Amino acid sequence: MDLEFNKREDQNRLRLSEINRLLSEIKKGGGEKRLQKLRDEGKMTARERIEYLLDKNSDSIEIGAFAGFEMYQEHGGCPSGGVVVVIGYVSGRQCIVVANDASVKAGAWFPITGKKNLRAQEIAMENRLPIIYLVDSAGVYLPMQDEIFPDKEHFGRIFRNNAKMSSMGIIQISAVMGSCVAGGAYLPIMSDEAMIVDKTGSIFLAGSYLVKAAIGESIDNETLGGATTHCSISGVTDYKAKDDKDALDRIKNIMKSIGTNEKAGFDRIESFPPKENPDNIFGIMPASRAEQYDTFEIIKCLVDNSEYEEYKPDYGKSIVCATARVDGWSVGIVANQRKLVKSGKGEMQFGGVIYSDSADKATRFIANCNQRKIPLIFLQDVTGFMVGSKSEHGGIIKDGAKMVNAVSNSVVPKFTIITGNSYGAGNYAMCGKAYDPRLIVAWPWADLAVMGGAQAAKVLAQIQESTLKKQGKEISEEEHNEILDTISKKYQKQTEATYSAARLWTDAIINPTDTRKWISMGIEAANNAPITEKFNLGVIQV
Ligand SMILES: CC(C)=CC(=O)SCCNC(=O)CCNC(=O)[C@H](O)C(C)(C)COP(=O)(O)OP(=O)(O)OC[C@H]1O[C@@H](n2cnc3c(N)ncnc32)[C@H](O)[C@@H]1OP(=O)(O)O
């Protein structure tokens, strides 16, 4: 390995260890004192519950660990959005687990908590995955009720989804393992089966204080809505569990008995590790997002035996299209080529930029994968579509539109890995969050924004200067530099992988060596949902 490789490796590993450091802080939830308070009450913490529930030594992937990162600071923060979501295996069955973290404001729902719960339900619906809710929540976070209560994508949508999922035949199991107040009371009870933990679990529309205030009745919370009340008097819950472990054991038993559904039928053969060591990704990826590298080197670290079949290798080279296998699954890869390439016409094309010929090729490849029922993997390292008169006159907009059309109308599952840049309309064409990837993850050094900070600063400075000129004012060099500096700094922060993950624009920031696991578990989940829609491109922009 050369000196440059080692330098890159050091820098990239540093980025990963910073992400891991942040993650270990995030996983402390509301802090050690609050976690201990839960244990003192005889409860397990959200993460302990999930660990106990999932099969030992089985794979799992966490969705939205960074949700809420550096948000709501004035409210004390909301680590992981106050809810832990994991895709894993219970009694050998793949499922998604949603556990409120009562160490964060008693599990109350911040706006990001709502978004994350909806994402978990979306994953369950798209993949027909059983969903398990471990409920311990104070309901809406009252100081922010206007941002979580009434809108279409707010709290109410959860119960609507509970009902829709039930009618779709998606298994929903709940355990009430703490407070379950007000609106939150419907979630477990709209599941197929609900158990409640004796003494620590409670469900009511209004707690004892509100009951006293509203109707003058004096009653304690346990008599009002504890386990005995709901298992013996109201019939709201189905089983009384003696403690958290007992409730989780019951869920394991339920999961043992469920039957299997019709599969989508994605092709899978024996899995082989890549011949190129995935650890090499750290030395291949440049430390700066502006530097070039050969995307094939990355693909070789991700696919079985490091083998792939390239589609149209001599055409539209700024996008690589190839079929390959990941953990035995047949996949179609659409990746931005990050090195300078020569087009068939002999012109040089920048790495990471989408040109008309590459958009055209990718569209056709995506259609082929749909035709053959092959899941699509997008490896995003894209700065955008080619700009300038030559490109515009060549019809880049219609070729880009064609690709967006194919991505949007794909009926095979799509998975997006942001390996480097994710800028502008390139994010859209390469299956950004708005294009329904079943899972979308970023490598630690990924950058995501409408454009780079330096470019945005220059554009905005020009706009401001021209406005001032119209008013007959001149802008000094000092003012000009100040504008550039302020905007660049703001963009730099907003571009970081943690910023997008905090807002759930991505599902996770992952160690690149876990990419194969994410893709494989993602396709296994997707295989539960037969493809019922026909692939139809509609009016295509020829
Ligand atoms: C969706 C619909 C239709 C309606 C709703 O959801 S309305 C929400 C109604 N919810 C409530 O009225 C619950 C209020 N909370 C409680 O009754 C209790 O907190 C509890 C029984 C859920 C848990 O009690 P516990 O002793 O375990 O915890 P606390 O010390 O009381 O709370 C810890 C921490 O969280 C803050 N907190 C609790 N609930 C909420 C909430 N709903 N909104 C905002 N903040 C909440 C509580 O103030 C405390 O904060 P600090 O640690 O900063 O003091």
Side-chain angles (χ1 to χ4, degrees), residues 18 22 69-71 73 423 446-449 451-454 485-503 505:
E18 175 57 7
L22 294 173
F69 178 71
E70 291 184 340
M71 292 164 74
Q73 305 286 37
Y423 283 114
D447 281 349
L448 187 153
M451 61 173 83
D485 194 47
T486 314
I487 297 165
S488 299
K489 277 195 185 127
K490 189 172 164 192
Y491 261 70
Q492 192 167 350
K493 184 82 206 146
Q494 292 185 354
T495 302
E496 285 170 9
T498 48
Y499 192 89
S500 3
R503 286 150 187 82
W505 302 339

PDB file of all heavy atoms in Angstrom, residues 18 22 69-71 73 423 446-449 451-454 485-503 505:
ATOM      1  N   GLU A  18     -14.884   9.238  15.318  1.00  0.00           N
ATOM      2  CA  GLU A  18     -15.652  10.384  15.843  1.00  0.00           C
ATOM      3  C   GLU A  18     -17.159  10.051  15.837  1.00  0.00           C
ATOM      4  O   GLU A  18     -17.879  10.325  16.793  1.00  0.00           O
ATOM      5  CB  GLU A  18     -15.354  11.646  15.008  1.00  0.00           C
ATOM      6  CG  GLU A  18     -16.165  12.884  15.355  1.00  0.00           C
ATOM      7  CD  GLU A  18     -16.056  13.353  16.808  1.00  0.00           C
ATOM      8  OE1 GLU A  18     -15.234  12.805  17.561  1.00  0.00           O
ATOM      9  OE2 GLU A  18     -16.844  14.245  17.189  1.00  0.00           O
ATOM     10  N   LEU A  22     -19.622   9.773  19.122  1.00  0.00           N
ATOM     11  CA  LEU A  22     -20.922  10.451  19.259  1.00  0.00           C
ATOM     12  C   LEU A  22     -22.028   9.439  19.542  1.00  0.00           C
ATOM     13  O   LEU A  22     -22.904   9.659  20.382  1.00  0.00           O
ATOM     14  CB  LEU A  22     -21.248  11.243  17.984  1.00  0.00           C
ATOM     15  CG  LEU A  22     -20.338  12.439  17.661  1.00  0.00           C
ATOM     16  CD1 LEU A  22     -20.663  13.014  16.289  1.00  0.00           C
ATOM     17  CD2 LEU A  22     -20.475  13.517  18.727  1.00  0.00           C
ATOM     18  N   PHE A  69     -30.123  14.677  16.803  1.00  0.00           N
ATOM     19  CA  PHE A  69     -28.765  15.057  17.214  1.00  0.00           C
ATOM     20  C   PHE A  69     -28.582  16.584  17.108  1.00  0.00           C
ATOM     21  O   PHE A  69     -28.852  17.171  16.068  1.00  0.00           O
ATOM     22  CB  PHE A  69     -27.738  14.332  16.326  1.00  0.00           C
ATOM     23  CG  PHE A  69     -26.309  14.688  16.628  1.00  0.00           C
ATOM     24  CD1 PHE A  69     -25.710  14.255  17.793  1.00  0.00           C
ATOM     25  CD2 PHE A  69     -25.583  15.478  15.749  1.00  0.00           C
ATOM     26  CE1 PHE A  69     -24.395  14.594  18.077  1.00  0.00           C
ATOM     27  CE2 PHE A  69     -24.266  15.817  16.021  1.00  0.00           C
ATOM     28  CZ  PHE A  69     -23.683  15.376  17.195  1.00  0.00           C
ATOM     29  N   GLU A  70     -28.141  17.186  18.185  1.00  0.00           N
ATOM     30  CA  GLU A  70     -27.930  18.640  18.292  1.00  0.00           C
ATOM     31  C   GLU A  70     -29.206  19.457  18.035  1.00  0.00           C
ATOM     32  O   GLU A  70     -29.144  20.625  17.678  1.00  0.00           O
ATOM     33  CB  GLU A  70     -26.796  19.104  17.356  1.00  0.00           C
ATOM     34  CG  GLU A  70     -25.436  18.596  17.834  1.00  0.00           C
ATOM     35  CD  GLU A  70     -24.261  19.082  17.017  1.00  0.00           C
ATOM     36  OE1 GLU A  70     -24.471  19.501  15.864  1.00  0.00           O
ATOM     37  OE2 GLU A  70     -23.125  19.014  17.527  1.00  0.00           O
ATOM     38  N   MET A  71     -30.369  18.822  18.184  1.00  0.00           N
ATOM     39  CA  MET A  71     -31.643  19.542  18.028  1.00  0.00           C
ATOM     40  C   MET A  71     -32.269  19.719  19.432  1.00  0.00           C
ATOM     41  O   MET A  71     -31.905  19.010  20.355  1.00  0.00           O
ATOM     42  CB  MET A  71     -32.606  18.750  17.129  1.00  0.00           C
ATOM     43  CG  MET A  71     -32.133  18.682  15.684  1.00  0.00           C
ATOM     44  SD  MET A  71     -32.981  17.413  14.727  1.00  0.00           S
ATOM     45  CE  MET A  71     -34.592  18.131  14.484  1.00  0.00           C
ATOM     46  N   GLN A  73     -31.927  21.759  21.766  1.00  0.00           N
ATOM     47  CA  GLN A  73     -30.973  21.968  22.873  1.00  0.00           C
ATOM     48  C   GLN A  73     -31.622  22.763  24.000  1.00  0.00           C
ATOM     49  O   GLN A  73     -31.340  22.523  25.179  1.00  0.00           O
ATOM     50  CB  GLN A  73     -29.720  22.718  22.384  1.00  0.00           C
ATOM     51  CG  GLN A  73     -29.002  22.065  21.212  1.00  0.00           C
ATOM     52  CD  GLN A  73     -28.221  20.816  21.622  1.00  0.00           C
ATOM     53  OE1 GLN A  73     -28.656  20.048  22.476  1.00  0.00           O
ATOM     54  NE2 GLN A  73     -27.077  20.604  20.999  1.00  0.00           N
ATOM     55  N   TYR A 423     -25.146  16.000  -3.795  1.00  0.00           N
ATOM     56  CA  TYR A 423     -25.485  17.404  -4.059  1.00  0.00           C
ATOM     57  C   TYR A 423     -26.565  17.562  -5.127  1.00  0.00           C
ATOM     58  O   TYR A 423     -26.619  16.797  -6.100  1.00  0.00           O
ATOM     59  CB  TYR A 423     -24.238  18.167  -4.511  1.00  0.00           C
ATOM     60  CG  TYR A 423     -23.303  18.498  -3.367  1.00  0.00           C
ATOM     61  CD1 TYR A 423     -22.036  17.921  -3.284  1.00  0.00           C
ATOM     62  CD2 TYR A 423     -23.688  19.390  -2.373  1.00  0.00           C
ATOM     63  CE1 TYR A 423     -21.181  18.222  -2.228  1.00  0.00           C
ATOM     64  CE2 TYR A 423     -22.833  19.697  -1.310  1.00  0.00           C
ATOM     65  CZ  TYR A 423     -21.585  19.116  -1.249  1.00  0.00           C
ATOM     66  OH  TYR A 423     -20.756  19.417  -0.204  1.00  0.00           O
ATOM     67  N   ALA A 446     -19.738  11.514   4.460  1.00  0.00           N
ATOM     68  CA  ALA A 446     -20.662  11.956   3.402  1.00  0.00           C
ATOM     69  C   ALA A 446     -21.055  13.420   3.581  1.00  0.00           C
ATOM     70  O   ALA A 446     -21.178  13.911   4.707  1.00  0.00           O
ATOM     71  CB  ALA A 446     -21.916  11.082   3.431  1.00  0.00           C
ATOM     72  N   ASP A 447     -21.231  14.120   2.467  1.00  0.00           N
ATOM     73  CA  ASP A 447     -21.672  15.518   2.465  1.00  0.00           C
ATOM     74  C   ASP A 447     -22.991  15.608   1.703  1.00  0.00           C
ATOM     75  O   ASP A 447     -23.075  15.112   0.575  1.00  0.00           O
ATOM     76  CB  ASP A 447     -20.661  16.406   1.723  1.00  0.00           C
ATOM     77  CG  ASP A 447     -19.455  16.739   2.583  1.00  0.00           C
ATOM     78  OD1 ASP A 447     -19.498  16.470   3.793  1.00  0.00           O
ATOM     79  OD2 ASP A 447     -18.474  17.272   2.026  1.00  0.00           O
ATOM     80  N   LEU A 448     -24.001  16.247   2.282  1.00  0.00           N
ATOM     81  CA  LEU A 448     -25.303  16.320   1.614  1.00  0.00           C
ATOM     82  C   LEU A 448     -25.846  17.749   1.685  1.00  0.00           C
ATOM     83  O   LEU A 448     -25.987  18.307   2.764  1.00  0.00           O
ATOM     84  CB  LEU A 448     -26.261  15.339   2.302  1.00  0.00           C
ATOM     85  CG  LEU A 448     -27.631  15.087   1.703  1.00  0.00           C
ATOM     86  CD1 LEU A 448     -28.125  13.704   2.092  1.00  0.00           C
ATOM     87  CD2 LEU A 448     -28.659  16.107   2.121  1.00  0.00           C
ATOM     88  N   ALA A 449     -26.100  18.337   0.526  1.00  0.00           N
ATOM     89  CA  ALA A 449     -26.666  19.702   0.488  1.00  0.00           C
ATOM     90  C   ALA A 449     -27.092  20.018  -0.942  1.00  0.00           C
ATOM     91  O   ALA A 449     -26.733  19.304  -1.879  1.00  0.00           O
ATOM     92  CB  ALA A 449     -25.640  20.731   0.950  1.00  0.00           C
ATOM     93  N   MET A 451     -26.118  22.481  -2.699  1.00  0.00           N
ATOM     94  CA  MET A 451     -24.856  22.736  -3.406  1.00  0.00           C
ATOM     95  C   MET A 451     -23.764  22.920  -2.361  1.00  0.00           C
ATOM     96  O   MET A 451     -24.058  23.030  -1.165  1.00  0.00           O
ATOM     97  CB  MET A 451     -24.944  23.948  -4.339  1.00  0.00           C
ATOM     98  CG  MET A 451     -25.248  25.264  -3.691  1.00  0.00           C
ATOM     99  SD  MET A 451     -25.129  26.644  -4.844  1.00  0.00           S
ATOM    100  CE  MET A 451     -26.712  26.614  -5.642  1.00  0.00           C
ATOM    101  N   GLY A 452     -22.506  22.936  -2.782  1.00  0.00           N
ATOM    102  CA  GLY A 452     -21.394  23.099  -1.847  1.00  0.00           C
ATOM    103  C   GLY A 452     -21.445  24.471  -1.186  1.00  0.00           C
ATOM    104  O   GLY A 452     -21.975  25.428  -1.753  1.00  0.00           O
ATOM    105  N   GLY A 453     -20.886  24.574   0.013  1.00  0.00           N
ATOM    106  CA  GLY A 453     -20.905  25.812   0.774  1.00  0.00           C
ATOM    107  C   GLY A 453     -20.266  26.966   0.024  1.00  0.00           C
ATOM    108  O   GLY A 453     -20.806  28.074  -0.007  1.00  0.00           O
ATOM    109  N   ALA A 454     -19.107  26.711  -0.595  1.00  0.00           N
ATOM    110  CA  ALA A 454     -18.385  27.786  -1.279  1.00  0.00           C
ATOM    111  C   ALA A 454     -19.220  28.310  -2.452  1.00  0.00           C
ATOM    112  O   ALA A 454     -19.354  29.534  -2.634  1.00  0.00           O
ATOM    113  CB  ALA A 454     -17.042  27.273  -1.764  1.00  0.00           C
ATOM    114  N   ASP A 485     -18.190  34.318   4.267  1.00  0.00           N
ATOM    115  CA  ASP A 485     -17.792  33.567   5.453  1.00  0.00           C
ATOM    116  C   ASP A 485     -19.003  33.021   6.210  1.00  0.00           C
ATOM    117  O   ASP A 485     -19.051  31.840   6.559  1.00  0.00           O
ATOM    118  CB  ASP A 485     -16.960  34.509   6.343  1.00  0.00           C
ATOM    119  CG  ASP A 485     -16.236  33.724   7.412  1.00  0.00           C
ATOM    120  OD1 ASP A 485     -15.630  32.710   7.041  1.00  0.00           O
ATOM    121  OD2 ASP A 485     -16.312  34.116   8.590  1.00  0.00           O
ATOM    122  N   THR A 486     -20.014  33.882   6.413  1.00  0.00           N
ATOM    123  CA  THR A 486     -21.208  33.468   7.172  1.00  0.00           C
ATOM    124  C   THR A 486     -21.909  32.307   6.463  1.00  0.00           C
ATOM    125  O   THR A 486     -22.258  31.298   7.081  1.00  0.00           O
ATOM    126  CB  THR A 486     -22.214  34.651   7.290  1.00  0.00           C
ATOM    127  OG1 THR A 486     -21.478  35.790   7.656  1.00  0.00           O
ATOM    128  CG2 THR A 486     -23.313  34.374   8.265  1.00  0.00           C
ATOM    129  N   ILE A 487     -22.098  32.462   5.142  1.00  0.00           N
ATOM    130  CA  ILE A 487     -22.841  31.423   4.417  1.00  0.00           C
ATOM    131  C   ILE A 487     -22.030  30.129   4.347  1.00  0.00           C
ATOM    132  O   ILE A 487     -22.564  29.038   4.552  1.00  0.00           O
ATOM    133  CB  ILE A 487     -23.242  31.925   3.016  1.00  0.00           C
ATOM    134  CG1 ILE A 487     -24.194  33.117   3.169  1.00  0.00           C
ATOM    135  CG2 ILE A 487     -23.923  30.823   2.205  1.00  0.00           C
ATOM    136  CD1 ILE A 487     -24.385  33.927   1.933  1.00  0.00           C
ATOM    137  N   SER A 488     -20.736  30.246   4.093  1.00  0.00           N
ATOM    138  CA  SER A 488     -19.900  29.029   4.010  1.00  0.00           C
ATOM    139  C   SER A 488     -19.975  28.244   5.308  1.00  0.00           C
ATOM    140  O   SER A 488     -20.138  27.025   5.298  1.00  0.00           O
ATOM    141  CB  SER A 488     -18.433  29.372   3.759  1.00  0.00           C
ATOM    142  OG  SER A 488     -18.312  30.044   2.574  1.00  0.00           O
ATOM    143  N   LYS A 489     -19.870  28.943   6.433  1.00  0.00           N
ATOM    144  CA  LYS A 489     -19.871  28.252   7.739  1.00  0.00           C
ATOM    145  C   LYS A 489     -21.198  27.537   7.971  1.00  0.00           C
ATOM    146  O   LYS A 489     -21.237  26.391   8.407  1.00  0.00           O
ATOM    147  CB  LYS A 489     -19.619  29.259   8.859  1.00  0.00           C
ATOM    148  CG  LYS A 489     -18.143  29.555   9.045  1.00  0.00           C
ATOM    149  CD  LYS A 489     -17.914  30.250  10.368  1.00  0.00           C
ATOM    150  CE  LYS A 489     -16.445  30.657  10.469  1.00  0.00           C
ATOM    151  NZ  LYS A 489     -16.271  32.081  10.781  1.00  0.00           N
ATOM    152  N   LYS A 490     -22.299  28.253   7.658  1.00  0.00           N
ATOM    153  CA  LYS A 490     -23.638  27.676   7.858  1.00  0.00           C
ATOM    154  C   LYS A 490     -23.787  26.418   6.988  1.00  0.00           C
ATOM    155  O   LYS A 490     -24.252  25.375   7.442  1.00  0.00           O
ATOM    156  CB  LYS A 490     -24.687  28.724   7.487  1.00  0.00           C
ATOM    157  CG  LYS A 490     -26.081  28.328   7.863  1.00  0.00           C
ATOM    158  CD  LYS A 490     -27.034  29.469   7.646  1.00  0.00           C
ATOM    159  CE  LYS A 490     -28.450  28.964   7.656  1.00  0.00           C
ATOM    160  NZ  LYS A 490     -29.400  29.937   7.186  1.00  0.00           N
ATOM    161  N   TYR A 491     -23.381  26.537   5.737  1.00  0.00           N
ATOM    162  CA  TYR A 491     -23.499  25.398   4.824  1.00  0.00           C
ATOM    163  C   TYR A 491     -22.631  24.226   5.259  1.00  0.00           C
ATOM    164  O   TYR A 491     -23.026  23.072   5.158  1.00  0.00           O
ATOM    165  CB  TYR A 491     -23.130  25.827   3.395  1.00  0.00           C
ATOM    166  CG  TYR A 491     -24.350  26.112   2.563  1.00  0.00           C
ATOM    167  CD1 TYR A 491     -25.140  27.220   2.816  1.00  0.00           C
ATOM    168  CD2 TYR A 491     -24.727  25.252   1.530  1.00  0.00           C
ATOM    169  CE1 TYR A 491     -26.271  27.483   2.064  1.00  0.00           C
ATOM    170  CE2 TYR A 491     -25.856  25.503   0.768  1.00  0.00           C
ATOM    171  CZ  TYR A 491     -26.621  26.612   1.035  1.00  0.00           C
ATOM    172  OH  TYR A 491     -27.736  26.854   0.290  1.00  0.00           O
ATOM    173  N   GLN A 492     -21.430  24.562   5.726  1.00  0.00           N
ATOM    174  CA  GLN A 492     -20.522  23.488   6.138  1.00  0.00           C
ATOM    175  C   GLN A 492     -21.170  22.631   7.220  1.00  0.00           C
ATOM    176  O   GLN A 492     -21.155  21.407   7.158  1.00  0.00           O
ATOM    177  CB  GLN A 492     -19.228  24.103   6.646  1.00  0.00           C
ATOM    178  CG  GLN A 492     -18.151  23.054   6.800  1.00  0.00           C
ATOM    179  CD  GLN A 492     -16.796  23.690   7.002  1.00  0.00           C
ATOM    180  OE1 GLN A 492     -16.637  24.900   6.845  1.00  0.00           O
ATOM    181  NE2 GLN A 492     -15.840  22.875   7.355  1.00  0.00           N
ATOM    182  N   LYS A 493     -21.786  23.271   8.196  1.00  0.00           N
ATOM    183  CA  LYS A 493     -22.446  22.559   9.303  1.00  0.00           C
ATOM    184  C   LYS A 493     -23.614  21.723   8.755  1.00  0.00           C
ATOM    185  O   LYS A 493     -23.777  20.553   9.086  1.00  0.00           O
ATOM    186  CB  LYS A 493     -22.948  23.606  10.322  1.00  0.00           C
ATOM    187  CG  LYS A 493     -23.567  23.056  11.552  1.00  0.00           C
ATOM    188  CD  LYS A 493     -22.518  22.670  12.573  1.00  0.00           C
ATOM    189  CE  LYS A 493     -23.016  21.581  13.491  1.00  0.00           C
ATOM    190  NZ  LYS A 493     -22.014  20.648  13.925  1.00  0.00           N
ATOM    191  N   GLN A 494     -24.408  22.367   7.885  1.00  0.00           N
ATOM    192  CA  GLN A 494     -25.609  21.692   7.374  1.00  0.00           C
ATOM    193  C   GLN A 494     -25.291  20.547   6.417  1.00  0.00           C
ATOM    194  O   GLN A 494     -26.144  19.727   6.127  1.00  0.00           O
ATOM    195  CB  GLN A 494     -26.504  22.703   6.658  1.00  0.00           C
ATOM    196  CG  GLN A 494     -27.102  23.715   7.596  1.00  0.00           C
ATOM    197  CD  GLN A 494     -28.090  24.636   6.916  1.00  0.00           C
ATOM    198  OE1 GLN A 494     -28.250  24.595   5.701  1.00  0.00           O
ATOM    199  NE2 GLN A 494     -28.746  25.468   7.690  1.00  0.00           N
ATOM    200  N   THR A 495     -24.054  20.536   5.919  1.00  0.00           N
ATOM    201  CA  THR A 495     -23.681  19.530   4.931  1.00  0.00           C
ATOM    202  C   THR A 495     -23.216  18.219   5.573  1.00  0.00           C
ATOM    203  O   THR A 495     -23.227  17.172   4.952  1.00  0.00           O
ATOM    204  CB  THR A 495     -22.557  20.136   4.042  1.00  0.00           C
ATOM    205  OG1 THR A 495     -23.061  21.322   3.452  1.00  0.00           O
ATOM    206  CG2 THR A 495     -22.115  19.210   2.948  1.00  0.00           C
ATOM    207  N   GLU A 496     -22.827  18.310   6.868  1.00  0.00           N
ATOM    208  CA  GLU A 496     -22.249  17.132   7.529  1.00  0.00           C
ATOM    209  C   GLU A 496     -23.241  15.966   7.637  1.00  0.00           C
ATOM    210  O   GLU A 496     -24.449  16.181   7.761  1.00  0.00           O
ATOM    211  CB  GLU A 496     -21.788  17.523   8.945  1.00  0.00           C
ATOM    212  CG  GLU A 496     -20.521  18.335   8.930  1.00  0.00           C
ATOM    213  CD  GLU A 496     -20.181  18.938  10.286  1.00  0.00           C
ATOM    214  OE1 GLU A 496     -20.829  18.602  11.288  1.00  0.00           O
ATOM    215  OE2 GLU A 496     -19.250  19.771  10.307  1.00  0.00           O
ATOM    216  N   ALA A 497     -22.687  14.748   7.644  1.00  0.00           N
ATOM    217  CA  ALA A 497     -23.528  13.539   7.712  1.00  0.00           C
ATOM    218  C   ALA A 497     -24.404  13.525   8.963  1.00  0.00           C
ATOM    219  O   ALA A 497     -25.543  13.044   8.935  1.00  0.00           O
ATOM    220  CB  ALA A 497     -22.646  12.297   7.680  1.00  0.00           C
ATOM    221  N   THR A 498     -23.902  14.084  10.056  1.00  0.00           N
ATOM    222  CA  THR A 498     -24.691  14.076  11.297  1.00  0.00           C
ATOM    223  C   THR A 498     -25.925  14.974  11.178  1.00  0.00           C
ATOM    224  O   THR A 498     -26.967  14.679  11.776  1.00  0.00           O
ATOM    225  CB  THR A 498     -23.835  14.559  12.490  1.00  0.00           C
ATOM    226  OG1 THR A 498     -23.164  15.751  12.116  1.00  0.00           O
ATOM    227  CG2 THR A 498     -22.822  13.511  12.912  1.00  0.00           C
ATOM    228  N   TYR A 499     -25.812  16.059  10.400  1.00  0.00           N
ATOM    229  CA  TYR A 499     -26.938  16.991  10.235  1.00  0.00           C
ATOM    230  C   TYR A 499     -28.096  16.288   9.508  1.00  0.00           C
ATOM    231  O   TYR A 499     -29.258  16.388   9.919  1.00  0.00           O
ATOM    232  CB  TYR A 499     -26.468  18.232   9.467  1.00  0.00           C
ATOM    233  CG  TYR A 499     -27.449  19.380   9.484  1.00  0.00           C
ATOM    234  CD1 TYR A 499     -27.417  20.336  10.498  1.00  0.00           C
ATOM    235  CD2 TYR A 499     -28.402  19.516   8.487  1.00  0.00           C
ATOM    236  CE1 TYR A 499     -28.308  21.403  10.520  1.00  0.00           C
ATOM    237  CE2 TYR A 499     -29.302  20.571   8.493  1.00  0.00           C
ATOM    238  CZ  TYR A 499     -29.257  21.518   9.514  1.00  0.00           C
ATOM    239  OH  TYR A 499     -30.143  22.562   9.524  1.00  0.00           O
ATOM    240  N   SER A 500     -27.769  15.563   8.432  1.00  0.00           N
ATOM    241  CA  SER A 500     -28.850  14.867   7.697  1.00  0.00           C
ATOM    242  C   SER A 500     -29.417  13.715   8.512  1.00  0.00           C
ATOM    243  O   SER A 500     -30.624  13.474   8.500  1.00  0.00           O
ATOM    244  CB  SER A 500     -28.395  14.323   6.341  1.00  0.00           C
ATOM    245  OG  SER A 500     -27.070  14.520   6.104  1.00  0.00           O
ATOM    246  N   ALA A 501     -28.531  13.002   9.223  1.00  0.00           N
ATOM    247  CA  ALA A 501     -29.018  11.858  10.009  1.00  0.00           C
ATOM    248  C   ALA A 501     -29.908  12.345  11.155  1.00  0.00           C
ATOM    249  O   ALA A 501     -30.875  11.675  11.526  1.00  0.00           O
ATOM    250  CB  ALA A 501     -27.837  11.064  10.546  1.00  0.00           C
ATOM    251  N   ALA A 502     -29.584  13.526  11.723  1.00  0.00           N
ATOM    252  CA  ALA A 502     -30.387  14.070  12.822  1.00  0.00           C
ATOM    253  C   ALA A 502     -31.822  14.311  12.369  1.00  0.00           C
ATOM    254  O   ALA A 502     -32.767  14.180  13.144  1.00  0.00           O
ATOM    255  CB  ALA A 502     -29.776  15.381  13.315  1.00  0.00           C
ATOM    256  N   ARG A 503     -31.980  14.666  11.091  1.00  0.00           N
ATOM    257  CA  ARG A 503     -33.306  14.997  10.545  1.00  0.00           C
ATOM    258  C   ARG A 503     -33.947  13.832   9.801  1.00  0.00           C
ATOM    259  O   ARG A 503     -34.942  13.975   9.115  1.00  0.00           O
ATOM    260  CB  ARG A 503     -33.169  16.222   9.626  1.00  0.00           C
ATOM    261  CG  ARG A 503     -32.983  17.470  10.431  1.00  0.00           C
ATOM    262  CD  ARG A 503     -32.176  18.548   9.780  1.00  0.00           C
ATOM    263  NE  ARG A 503     -31.935  19.620  10.756  1.00  0.00           N
ATOM    264  CZ  ARG A 503     -30.970  19.607  11.686  1.00  0.00           C
ATOM    265  NH1 ARG A 503     -30.121  18.586  11.720  1.00  0.00           N
ATOM    266  NH2 ARG A 503     -30.847  20.570  12.563  1.00  0.00           N
ATOM    267  N   TRP A 505     -32.985  12.398   7.151  1.00  0.00           N
ATOM    268  CA  TRP A 505     -32.844  12.388   5.689  1.00  0.00           C
ATOM    269  C   TRP A 505     -32.090  11.121   5.296  1.00  0.00           C
ATOM    270  O   TRP A 505     -32.125  10.700   4.156  1.00  0.00           O
ATOM    271  CB  TRP A 505     -32.094  13.632   5.209  1.00  0.00           C
ATOM    272  CG  TRP A 505     -32.737  14.923   5.599  1.00  0.00           C
ATOM    273  CD1 TRP A 505     -34.051  15.117   5.957  1.00  0.00           C
ATOM    274  CD2 TRP A 505     -32.118  16.203   5.704  1.00  0.00           C
ATOM    275  NE1 TRP A 505     -34.266  16.438   6.261  1.00  0.00           N
ATOM    276  CE2 TRP A 505     -33.101  17.131   6.110  1.00  0.00           C
ATOM    277  CE3 TRP A 505     -30.816  16.673   5.478  1.00  0.00           C
ATOM    278  CZ2 TRP A 505     -32.831  18.484   6.309  1.00  0.00           C
ATOM    279  CZ3 TRP A 505     -30.550  18.018   5.670  1.00  0.00           C
ATOM    280  CH2 TRP A 505     -31.547  18.911   6.082  1.00  0.00           C
TER     281      TRP A 505
END
